[in-house]
Amino acid sequence: MRLRVEFTTEPFDLDEAPAHAVVAREVIEAADLDAVDVGPFGNTAEGGADAVLTALGDVLRRTLGAGATRISLQVNVVEEGER
């Protein structure tokens, strides 16, 4: 099964990326995922279910530890041929 996850960490800071956002970027870019899109207000990643769920666990633990007060996420099953 393939999954696509979209997530944001808060609080936002428009002047400088907060520590929790930097940590989220580092975790998701280092994960064994097929597609990663990191943006200023949200991140998207896609891959096998085990890889996505492992990365998500790391993102949650590490961003909360780095000061995130809210993490919003959405996980979708990706059908074959869908991207």
Side-chain angles (χ1 to χ4, degrees), residues 49-71:
D50 288 338
V52 170
L53 296 173
T54 297
L56 266 182
D58 291 345
V59 165
L60 293 172
R61 280 187 292 278
R62 293 196 47 208
T63 57
L64 289 168
T69 58
R70 179 179 178 146
I71 302 165

Side-chain angles (χ1 to χ4, degrees), residues 2 21 27 34 37 39 45 63 70 79:
R2 290 185 56 77
V27 171
D34 302 330
D37 183 23
T63 57
R70 179 179 178 146
E79 300 296 332

